Amino acid sequence: MEGEGKTREQLQNKFAELRQRIDGWEALEINRRRTEEALRRTEKQIRPFLEQIANELKDRWRSEDVDKSPNRSRAIDEPSQCKEQLQQEERTQAESLNLDVRNLEETNRELEEFNYIVSHDLQEPVRTLTRYCQLLKEDLGDSLSPNATEDIKFITEAADRLEELISDFLEFSRAGCANFKEIAVDLNDCMTTVMNHLKARLKEMGGDIKWDALPIVNGDQTLVTRILQNLVDNGLKFRGEQIPCIQVSAQSSGQQWEITVADNGIGIEAEYLSQIFSPFNRLNRGSKYEGTGIGLTIARKFVEQHGGRIWAESEPGKGSLFKFTLNKFSQPSG
């Protein structure tokens, strides 16, 4: 029993070490998101200012007449001084923006380094947990107490869960760095691909996926397909007692299309609608619903890369509507 207690202590230490490293990753991710938000705010503030400067300079230069009078040199000198002042203000704002960009690049480098840690250092403790469980079974054999057997089962399940979590950590980190190739994307083709990917799962549960005639949008074919698949998969996962049914539709909204993925699942409380797109935020704990809660977060990241937004409307027991916007396809000029 002494050896069993020692082994349990070693496993607990491994859990603590892994939790500490995961906390470090979460801190880096929060910092990266804050930096991105600061960069977007700065760019939004600077852009109108720069446009105003450009327009003022154009107006001043157009209004300069070739004046032969003795006051000509003064008339030319005043716009020149104003131009220099505006250019200096523009340089100051540009330097501030460049600083934000450098901070963001540094944060991204830190995240890339952490990806390496996740793929190597964090996976090793998980493998160690599994090995210790196997050794414990072999060493104690039939003398293993019922409580110890239950402990080993818990540890093995936790190790499997951690392995899945680490894999999703990597996927989440890479989502913001995905290559973006904007082309004309037919959403009907995307839905056909989604159906093929989920064919086995639909056959198993008897679910149904339908979609109206969908439009063509500007976007990345792979990323748009992934958005739709994650939302459809979410509807299939959080199904109620009835056979799951997913309906995908689209309606025009100015220069964008608003796409809706409707399901007849368990629904979501209104107070949680703002949380469901946060990373690793699972509203339904326990083993009934698989996954780590990363699918909706990745969908949000891909939608934002396209310059769109994503949100949900739902009531408990009445299903959910997941909506997102994508730019309409526009033929290149010329």
Side-chain angles (χ1 to χ4, degrees), residues 38-207:
L39 181 59
R40 283 194 292 267
R41 285 199 306 267
T42 303
E43 184 180 7
K44 186 177 181 180
Q45 292 171 355
I46 289 176
R47 186 176 299 278
F49 179 74
L50 295 180
E51 290 176 352
Q52 180 182 356
I53 291 174
N55 292 333
E56 288 179 0
L57 290 175
K58 288 178 182 177
D59 292 342
R60 288 180 182 274
W61 294 336
R62 287 196 191 101
S63 64
E64 288 181 17
D65 296 326
V66 180
D67 190 355
K68 301 297 184 179
S69 68
N71 294 327
R72 177 177 178 274
S73 59
R74 180 182 176 184
I76 294 176
D77 190 48
E78 288 179 354
S80 298
Q81 291 176 354
C82 182
K83 176 182 175 182
E84 290 175 2
Q85 182 180 356
L86 292 172
Q87 287 176 337
Q88 179 60 41
E89 292 176 356
E90 182 180 348
R91 283 193 295 268
T92 301
Q93 294 289 343
E95 289 172 1
S96 176
L97 181 59
N98 287 334
L99 179 61
D100 287 337
V101 171
R102 288 195 297 270
N103 289 337
L104 180 59
E105 290 174 347
E106 179 62 27
T107 302
N108 284 336
R109 279 194 293 270
E110 291 176 355
L111 285 172
E112 288 174 1
E113 292 173 1
F114 189 80
N115 283 342
Y116 179 82
I117 295 174
V118 169
S119 62
H120 294 277
D121 292 357
L122 288 184
Q123 289 179 358
E124 183 56 32
V126 175
R127 288 191 287 264
T128 301
L129 290 173
T130 305
R131 283 199 300 269
Y132 267 109
C133 288
Q134 293 171 348
L135 290 173
L136 198 59
K137 283 184 178 180
E138 294 172 3
D139 292 343
L140 299 178
D142 295 337
S143 63
L144 201 62
S145 67
N147 287 340
T149 301
E150 189 68 23
D151 289 344
I152 289 177
K153 179 183 177 183
F154 168 77
I155 294 170
T156 302
E157 291 174 352
D160 292 341
R161 164 83 173 154
L162 285 171
E163 188 173 3
E164 182 183 15
L165 186 62
I166 290 169
S167 175
D168 284 346
F169 268 143
L170 284 170
E171 185 176 12
F172 174 62
S173 299
R174 292 168 181 158
C177 305
N179 292 327
F180 189 92
K181 299 177 181 177
E182 189 174 56
I183 59 172
V185 178
D186 189 331
L187 296 182
N188 299 285
D189 294 340
C190 294
M191 285 304 303
T192 300
T193 302
V194 170
M195 280 288 292
N196 291 333
H197 287 168
L198 299 175
K199 187 180 297 183
R201 189 169 183 182
L202 287 170
K203 186 177 180 181
E204 176 186 347
M205 66 178 60

Side-chain angles (χ1 to χ4, degrees), residues 298-328:
I298 291 175
R300 173 182 62 81
K301 278 201 166 191
F302 288 162
V303 169
E304 290 175 352
Q305 278 186 271
H306 284 77
R309 64 187 188 97
I310 185 170
W311 68 99
E313 301 171 3
S314 182
E315 289 184 41
K318 296 185 178 180
S320 302
L321 300 176
F322 284 89
K323 301 186 177 186
F324 63 98
T325 58
L326 294 174
N327 293 328
K328 292 182 176 179

